[in-house]
């Protein structure tokens, strides 16, 4: 069921602006490309120092705009809290709209900064089993065409791709109807083949989270989906399980998946999972959560390729606990995440 992972598609006003900017770029118009805009120079977000595999920091995220607004209003306390989010590299989620233009705009901006783009591809048909982020490509043919456009947009630029959050888990937990399952495996395998054919792209297939607790039920689906060709898998996407629990889960899964390495989403796992509410929606805008370890490729475990902020902190999981629709920027929740990380 959806609550086993709870991954929203983080669209909203900021994503729409990126789509428009990318469309203008493709049309040859003189418009600022992704990464060249910032509403307040006094709150400027810059790239972090690092090596060639450092992830690109988008200076025009919702968090960056919120930071600029707080700074312009003289609200230094809240600006300082939101800066904890705005200055970190986060995933750029690509859905149905203008996949080639968006992938091109983001990877070109990252290349200009000497960094690697972090892309999250989220458009599998019958996505999310009709829950908060339902949708996806209309059918298999449309999805293959969409993947082709994404690969054309990335081209030979450096990118790390997180492939289809929830898609594999929903095959295992029965959420995806049986009549769609064979096609989904084929589509995931196709996506991995196409993306890994790009010389500077690394691909990690989403493989659930520590709350699933049954890696023995996932390793065979991983193989069928083409994990052998991928660079590894991703765990804890948009979820809250601790880094240590995620490492334990990932290592158990890796042992049954040819020793493949993995990445962990640490964007909101600083206080671990929420356990006080009903288990069906503990993943959806839970209270008392905190930012986790900041993104890095320097981890203490040889099987962990990186800690990443795949989910964009401060964007809603869905219309629950007073939150707006999935993917919408929610300033008060962002502030709570940032403040809790001080404790």
């Amino acid at each position: 069921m959806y609550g086993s992972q709870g991954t929203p598609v983080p669209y909203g006003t900021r994503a729409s602006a990126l789509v428009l900017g990318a469309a203008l770029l493709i049309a040859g118009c003189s418009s600022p490309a992704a990464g060249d805009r910032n509403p307040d120079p006094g709150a400027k977000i810059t790239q972090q120092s690092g090596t060639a595999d450092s992830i690109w920091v988008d200076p025009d995220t919702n968090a960056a705009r919120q930071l600029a607004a707080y700074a312009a209003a003289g609200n230094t306390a809240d600006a300082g809290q939101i800066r904890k989010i705005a200055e970190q590299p986060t995933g750029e989620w690509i859905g149905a709209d203008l996949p080639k233009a968006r992938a091109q705009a983001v990877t070109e901006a990252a290349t200009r900064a000497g960094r690697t783009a972090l892309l999250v591809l989220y458009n599998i048909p019958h996505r999310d089993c009709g829950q908060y982020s339902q949708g996806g490509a209309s059918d298999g043919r449309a999805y293959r065409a969409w993947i082709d456009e994404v690969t054309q947009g990335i081209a030979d630029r450096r990118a790390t791709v997180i492939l289809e959050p929830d898609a594999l888990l929903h095959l295992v937990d029965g959420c995806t109807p049986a009549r769609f399952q064979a096609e989904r495996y084929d589509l995931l395998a196709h996506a991995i083949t196409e993306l890994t054919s790009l010389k500077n792209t690394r691909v990690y297939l989403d493989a659930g989270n520590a709350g699933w607790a049954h890696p023995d039920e996932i390793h065979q689906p991983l193989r069928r989906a083409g994990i052998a060709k991928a660079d590894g898998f991703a765990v804890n996407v948009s979820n809250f399980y601790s880094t240590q629990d995620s490492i334990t889960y990932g290592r158990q899964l890796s042992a049954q998946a040819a020793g493949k390495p993995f990445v962990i989403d640490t964007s909101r796992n600083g206080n671990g999972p929420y356990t006080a509410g009903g288990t069906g929606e503990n993943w959806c805008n839970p209270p008392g959560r905190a930012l986790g370890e900041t993104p890095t490729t320097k981890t203490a475990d040889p099987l962990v390729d990186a800690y990443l902020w795949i989910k964009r902190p401060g964007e809603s999981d869905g219309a629950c606990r007073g939150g707006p629709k999935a993917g919408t920027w929610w300033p008060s929740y962002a502030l709570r995440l940032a403040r809790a990380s001080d404790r």
Side-chain angles (χ1 to χ4, degrees):
M1 63 183 176
Y2 178 75
S4 68
Q5 180 93 337
T7 307
V9 55
Y11 289 159
T13 56
R14 191 260 161 201
S16 298
L18 179 55
V19 170
L20 176 60
L24 291 172
L25 184 150
I26 294 299
C29 300
S30 57
S31 173
D36 291 339
R37 306 178 304 279
N38 195 280
D40 183 353
K44 185 177 181 182
I45 299 298
T46 59
Q47 299 302 316
Q48 299 177 348
S49 59
T51 59
D53 61 356
S54 295
I55 301 296
W56 176 63
V57 178
D58 184 351
D60 192 41
T61 60
N62 286 320
R65 293 183 178 192
Q66 187 70 66
L67 166 61
Y70 283 146
N75 186 349
T76 57
D78 287 349
Q81 293 294 338
I82 292 298
R83 182 174 286 278
K84 297 175 188 176
I85 298 172
E87 69 184 4
Q88 297 300 331
T90 54
E92 298 283 340
W93 291 60
I94 297 180
D97 296 331
L98 293 172
K100 180 178 178 180
R102 293 195 66 210
Q104 179 178 336
V106 173
T107 55
E108 285 185 345
T111 298
R112 288 196 297 272
R115 296 293 186 269
T116 298
L118 175 60
L119 305 177
V120 188
L121 304 191
Y122 192 52
N123 195 41
I124 201 79
H126 319 294
R127 187 185 68 200
D128 196 29
C129 305
Q131 296 296 313
Y132 290 124
S133 298
Q134 62 184 297
S138 59
D139 55 29
R141 180 178 297 179
Y143 185 77
R144 289 172 184 268
W146 180 83
I147 284 291
D148 288 345
E149 289 199 49
V150 171
T151 59
Q152 292 167 24
I154 296 172
D156 61 354
R157 293 176 287 275
R158 291 199 306 270
T160 294
V161 172
I162 309 302
L163 182 61
E164 295 298 346
D166 283 340
L168 192 70
L169 258 291
H170 285 332
L171 287 170
V172 177
D173 66 12
C175 181
T176 300
R179 65 185 183 277
F180 300 134
Q181 292 189 8
E183 178 187 62
R184 176 166 295 185
Y185 280 116
D186 288 344
L187 294 178
L188 291 173
H190 172 77
I192 290 171
T193 298
E194 293 301 304
L195 291 162
T196 55
S197 72
L198 302 174
K199 65 179 183 180
N200 291 314
T201 295
R202 297 180 64 81
V203 181
Y204 296 87
L205 176 62
D206 181 67
N209 56 69
W212 176 250
H214 298 288
D216 55 317
E217 297 182 28
I218 301 175
H219 67 95
Q220 289 182 346
L222 268 175
R223 290 194 182 99
R224 184 174 174 184
I227 192 64
K229 291 185 178 180
D231 294 280
F233 56 92
V235 301
N236 203 46
V237 174
S238 289
N239 224 299
F240 303 87
Y241 291 94
S242 72
T243 300
Q244 187 54 57
D245 286 347
S246 296
I247 290 173
T248 299
Y249 171 78
R251 288 183 67 85
Q252 290 173 342
L253 184 52
S254 176
Q256 300 180 79
K260 285 288 184 177
F262 54 98
V263 298
I264 301 172
D265 186 351
T266 60
S267 58
R268 305 181 299 174
N269 72 346
N271 283 341
Y274 181 65
T275 59
T279 57
E281 286 201 346
N282 276 355
W283 55 268
C284 192
N285 300 323
R289 301 312 91 198
L291 304 174
E293 287 97 338
T294 54
T296 181
T297 57
K298 296 179 175 61
T299 73
D301 193 302
L303 279 175
V304 182
D305 279 355
Y307 301 146
L308 300 173
W309 283 14
I310 299 170
K311 165 71 178 181
R312 301 167 75 94
E315 293 182 354
S316 177
D317 292 316
C320 59
R321 295 192 172 94
K325 68 179 182 179
T328 301
W329 174 249
W330 189 7
S332 61
Y333 194 76
L335 283 170
R336 290 196 292 272
L337 288 170
R339 289 169 180 155
S341 67
D342 289 336
R343 301 169 189 163

